[in-house]
Amino acid sequence: MEEHLDRQPQPAARPAPDHAVYGISVAAELLNLAPQTLRVYEARGLVEPRRTSGGTRRYSDDDIDRVRRIGELLAAGLNLAGVKLVLDMELENRRLRAELGEAQARLASRD
């Protein structure tokens, strides 16, 4: 019965990076931004937080990382339209690299 007293508390499991868990106020605090800034980014199509059935925004760690990338691009002198273009090109680049990797794997498996 006393065995459980010797157990160390286990750290809480972190959610998957794409699992939306942060409300807008928490996300804004993590990013040191105003919630309104996140709303502007969403309105401009730069970030797409998920919504609860009640319509509340929920941000994931992936969303947080994307907003940090937006901040880097803004600090480099881009405007929001330029940021959108860069983010879209980065996404397309990742997609094409994955496609290329898959094609290379298929070719290698034929040998």
Side-chain angles (χ1 to χ4, degrees):
M1 182 87 150
E2 304 225 1
E3 294 173 16
H4 71 280
L5 296 177
D6 294 332
R7 287 189 222 152
Q8 295 294 319
Q10 297 297 314
R14 291 197 47 94
D18 63 343
H19 186 73
V21 294
Y22 307 112
I24 192 167
S25 60
V26 173
E29 186 175 333
L30 288 170
L31 293 159
N32 199 28
L33 295 173
Q36 185 59 32
T37 302
L38 294 175
R39 290 185 190 99
V40 168
Y41 292 172
E42 181 182 3
R44 298 287 182 99
L46 298 173
V47 65
E48 295 178 31
R50 286 168 198 77
R51 299 282 185 144
T52 65
S53 58
T56 303
R57 292 171 180 87
R58 290 284 184 236
Y59 293 83
S60 67
D61 285 329
D62 286 346
D63 294 327
I64 299 296
D65 290 342
R66 184 172 174 91
V67 173
R68 286 188 177 119
R69 179 69 178 133
I70 292 166
E72 291 169 359
L73 294 169
L74 290 170
L78 278 72
N79 62 20
L80 291 179
V83 168
K84 176 121 176 71
L85 288 172
V86 169
L87 292 175
D88 289 347
M89 286 189 290
E90 288 176 345
L91 180 63
E92 180 67 2
N93 190 342
R94 283 191 299 276
R95 186 191 67 76
L96 290 171
R97 286 181 183 273
E99 191 177 303
L100 177 61
E102 291 168 6
Q104 288 172 331
R106 282 193 305 273
L107 286 173
S109 69
R110 290 182 185 174
D111 294 337

